[in-house]
Amino acid sequence: MGVPLRQQITVGTYLLKQKLMGVKKYPLVLMLEPLFRCNLACAGCGKIDYPDEILDKRLSYEECMQAVDECGAPMVSIPGGEPLIHKEMPQIVAGIIARRKYVYLCTNALLLKKKIGDYTPSPYLTFSIHLDGMKERHDASVCQDGVFDRAVEAIKLCVERGFRVTINCTLFQGETPDDVAEFLDYAMSLGVEGATIAPGFSYERAPRQDIFIKGQDTKKLFRGIFEIGRKKRNWKLNHSTLYLDFLAGNQSYECTPWGNPTRNVFGWQKPCYLLPDEGYAATFKELLEDTPWDKYGNSSNPKCAQCMAHCGYEATAVEDTLQHPFKALIASIRGPRTTGPMVAEPTPKWMTEDRKSRPTIGGIPVRVE
Ligand code: SF4
Ligand code: SF4
């Protein structure tokens, strides 16, 4: 675990408070998307396919602070688009830090060298830099040559200046455990605090659909990566142990998207960061109270069927850790299990409902074409 103790204590105290107060749905990380405009056009991106009038919209400093205050989550992640394009970003970051929230500024790093002077190192500020693999892989993923070199240069500069830095890696089709292991070794050698890794979510809006890893292939890939990691590597992965165990096919979870609520230029996004067409709420309270949460999750909605994203399942794993600390401790000592049967996937409810609504012959549902 790469997260500093001070942050772990703050988050742990927050979680304990929610438990003691009997709060069932609480936010863990606010996803604050102050703009969709980006200076890259990655093949797997689901955020930049909007008309110019939307891409030109920004959340103001005041709107960002209102979102942080309304939500109350102890951590704020600022993805985009590319947040460094936003002219008020230094003030927004300073405003969040002044509220003693931990802020993760997610960037493709192209503007970082130019803008780094606008920021001051702080235990509350982490640059989360987008790198999907080694040079060839990353440049192919972001559809532009030379981006890997510029991102690495920016990482070194940030580390040198005393900033907290993590790497944000999304895995796509064609990845092998050896490739990812080589990349994680390299990432750690840059002196970063840790890395997040997750399978890419198959955004309907992404320009290419053939690049996403699906189902069992995802779990097999993660088992392969963790098997290599178990032998000799010292990777710091910024995830809870049970989320990693989930990625390896050893936990059956339903998502808890209210754990990572999203505020963007349209409002509070229902139900999560990944599904753009399910509507928006005007306030965080309205998001919590009016979203039909039961309609979402990998057993409840075909749009969610392949999702294993941390914005949906990390909060579930954290809740499971609180409910079953002994199980989490064992998983943390042994690491994610990489052999043996994987847990059964829950039967999708839409299939069960479809079966229930079918006519039957001798009690057996039949399909009427
Ligand atoms: S850097 Fe991020 S926001 Fe920009 S195009 Fe790529 S995935 Fe989308
Ligand atoms: S499974 Fe959860 S996190 Fe994933 S897309 Fe569906 S609602 Fe969002």
Side-chain angles (χ1 to χ4, degrees), residues 201 255-257 271-272 274-275 296-298 303-304 307 309 311-313:
F201 177 75
C255 84
T256 48
C272 75
L274 301 167
L275 297 180
Y296 302 100
N298 57 17
K303 290 183 184 172
C304 299
C307 178
C311 69
Y313 293 90

Side-chain angles (χ1 to χ4, degrees), residues 43-97:
C45 186
K47 299 287 174 179
I48 52 170
D49 181 34
Y50 287 105
D52 275 343
E53 61 266 29
I54 303 295
L55 294 176
D56 287 341
K57 282 190 184 219
R58 306 284 183 265
L59 284 182
S60 67
Y61 167 82
E62 288 77 17
E63 287 170 316
C64 290
M65 293 309 108
Q66 191 186 348
V68 171
D69 293 338
E70 261 187 72
C71 174
M75 294 178 279
V76 180
S77 176
I78 309 183
E82 170 50 54
L84 296 186
I85 291 176
H86 195 306
K87 288 198 170 66
E88 289 183 298
M89 193 46 61
Q91 292 96 296
I92 292 170
V93 168
I96 300 171
I97 292 173

Side-chain angles (χ1 to χ4, degrees), residues 262-303:
T262 299
R263 170 72 164 99
N264 61 28
V265 298
F266 297 121
W268 290 91
Q269 185 169 332
K270 299 178 184 180
C272 75
Y273 176 74
L274 301 167
L275 297 180
D277 301 320
E278 307 295 305
Y280 291 84
T283 63
F284 178 64
K285 186 169 180 290
E286 188 187 314
L287 176 84
L288 278 187
E289 291 174 357
D290 290 359
T291 304
W293 300 107
D294 290 353
K295 267 180 60 186
Y296 302 100
N298 57 17
S299 70
S300 305
N301 193 314
K303 290 183 184 172

Side-chain angles (χ1 to χ4, degrees), residues 36 38-42 44-48 80-82 108 130 142:
F36 289 125
C38 189
N39 47 2
L40 281 175
C42 306
C45 186
K47 299 287 174 179
I48 52 170
E82 170 50 54
N108 59 36
H130 173 188
V142 300

Side-chain angles (χ1 to χ4, degrees), residues 15 40 73 87 99 103 213 215 228 243 279 289 314 330 349:
L15 291 170
L40 281 175
K87 288 198 170 66
R99 286 162 168 75
V103 53
I213 326 172
I228 297 172
Y243 176 69
E289 291 174 357
E314 183 64 90
I330 302 281
K349 283 182 204 151

